[in-house]
Amino acid sequence: MRKSRVVAILLALVMAVTAAMAGCAPKTDKAAQTGQQSQAQPQSMIERVRKKGELVVGTAPGYYPFEMIDKKGNIIGFDIDIAKEIADALGVKLTVQRYGFDGLIPALQTGNIDVIIAGMTITAKRALAVSFTNPYYATGQVLMVNKNIPNVRSWQDLDKKGYTIGVSLGTTGAMLAKQLFKNATVKDFDIFPDACLALSTGKIHGIVYDEPGVRVYASQHPESVYGVYELMSVENLGMAVQKDDFSSLQWLNSFLYSYKDGPAYKAAVRKWFEEMTWIPEVEIK
């Protein structure tokens, strides 16, 4: 009898412990679920844009033929065509805001713009502050020279004391020139057209800038400048969104996968880089 009684007591204790554990488990799970729900993911740029019905793109006019101001005051160019395609794909209105190049990343970080589309080269330093899409165009840095200095074949020909090389503030051309030129003076200008004016008037001797911009300017001012098209670097251009907005990056990369090298993309390349029928619409200083 005593043995049976002990067994009965032990069984009762086991059942009590099991019931207690079963009663606690659902509360723990519920608490965990509540905690997960309270940590909502931040809204992505794409979600925000679709909700407000407007895509705000930041760019820096003056980088021919990516973004320029036409004679009517409109911002036009290769990058603007891409921005229009993105807005159309999202079914939203496009607004393009103008900044100095070095003001674009701060504007993105503070939420004044949704995305940067400004011929911005993908660099490790910039990627510490923003997140880049896959490249949508590849270009490189070249040298443009005042016509009064003939027979320049390479940047090394101007790396001498007494020569001044102009660069556009905040660009990869400025970074590269300050790394390469050890003897010539490197001078910063706010925008590329200001550097071009200084070059054309003989105040500086050369400019380091992206190949497309140099080709456009040199074709319009053959009497005062010429291009040296040996690439000093090769660079990939990307769009930028706020740091770690992976959902928006995924959508933009999917867009580029379907758009790049398609009919609209190829037509834009022909228009802005090859045919250059847009030149009469723009004041190239």
Side-chain angles (χ1 to χ4, degrees):
M1 294 290 292
R2 289 182 63 186
K3 185 175 181 181
S4 299
R5 188 174 180 181
V6 170
V7 172
I9 291 171
L10 290 174
L11 286 172
L13 286 172
V14 170
M15 292 175 65
V17 171
T18 303
M21 292 178 64
C24 292
K27 293 179 182 179
T28 303
D29 292 341
K30 186 175 181 180
Q33 291 171 3
T34 303
Q36 290 174 356
Q37 289 171 356
S38 65
Q39 297 176 356
Q41 292 295 319
Q43 192 177 46
S44 72
M45 178 273 289
I46 293 296
E47 292 173 324
R48 188 171 65 251
V49 163
R50 295 187 69 192
K51 185 175 181 179
K52 69 180 179 178
E54 180 186 28
L55 175 68
V56 182
V57 171
T59 196
Y63 182 18
Y64 310 103
F66 291 90
E67 39 270 332
M68 309 158 287
I69 304 293
D70 69 12
K71 294 177 181 178
K72 296 179 181 179
N74 301 313
I75 303 176
I76 63 172
F78 182 72
D79 282 346
I80 309 307
D81 281 5
I82 293 178
K84 290 176 181 176
E85 293 286 340
I86 292 173
D88 287 347
L90 290 171
V92 299
K93 169 189 173 184
L94 173 65
T95 298
V96 179
Q97 290 188 2
R98 178 180 181 178
Y99 289 85
F101 192 82
D102 58 349
L104 287 169
I105 289 179
L108 180 66
Q109 291 174 322
T110 56
N112 291 330
I113 58 177
D114 298 313
V115 60
I116 297 171
I117 309 180
M120 182 173 282
T121 302
I122 300 169
T123 67
K125 183 177 180 180
R126 287 173 180 160
L128 293 173
V130 300
S131 289
F132 283 104
T133 63
N134 293 336
Y136 68 89
Y137 194 84
T139 183
Q141 299 297 313
V142 297
L143 184 67
M144 185 162 64
V145 185
N146 184 281
K147 199 71 174 284
N148 292 326
I149 310 173
N151 302 319
V152 173
R153 297 287 181 266
S154 172
W155 65 269
Q156 289 96 333
D157 294 337
L158 290 187
D159 190 19
K160 300 173 183 177
K161 290 183 178 180
Y163 285 126
T164 300
I165 308 301
V167 294
S168 183
L169 189 65
T171 64
T172 50
M175 301 174 201
L176 180 66
K178 290 170 184 177
Q179 291 174 358
L180 293 180
F181 287 88
K182 305 300 182 184
N183 301 302
T185 299
V186 178
K187 183 176 180 180
D188 288 317
F189 290 85
D190 287 335
I191 55 176
F192 178 59
D194 289 348
C196 290
L197 180 61
L199 182 66
S200 296
T201 55
K203 294 179 181 178
I204 60 176
H205 306 94
I207 290 176
V208 175
Y209 201 66
D210 294 309
E211 180 187 9
V214 169
R215 286 191 182 277
V216 171
Y217 190 88
S219 70
Q220 294 301 295
H221 299 84
E223 75 289 347
S224 59
V225 301
Y226 65 97
V228 179
Y229 298 114
E230 176 189 40
L231 288 179
M232 299 167 65
S233 68
V234 177
E235 301 165 7
N236 290 303
L237 309 184
M239 295 177 261
V241 298
Q242 287 188 344
K243 186 69 177 171
D244 296 336
D245 185 354
F246 297 117
S247 178
S248 296
L249 284 179
Q250 183 180 34
W251 187 90
L252 287 169
N253 284 333
S254 296
F255 165 83
L256 288 174
Y257 185 80
S258 60
Y259 172 72
K260 190 177 177 182
D261 295 328
Y265 183 88
K266 290 180 179 179
V269 169
R270 284 196 304 271
K271 175 182 178 180
W272 299 107
F273 296 95
E274 299 170 8
E275 298 169 354
M276 295 189 183
T277 55
W278 51 268
I279 286 179
E281 303 175 40
V282 178
E283 292 281 0
I284 301 180
K285 300 178 181 180

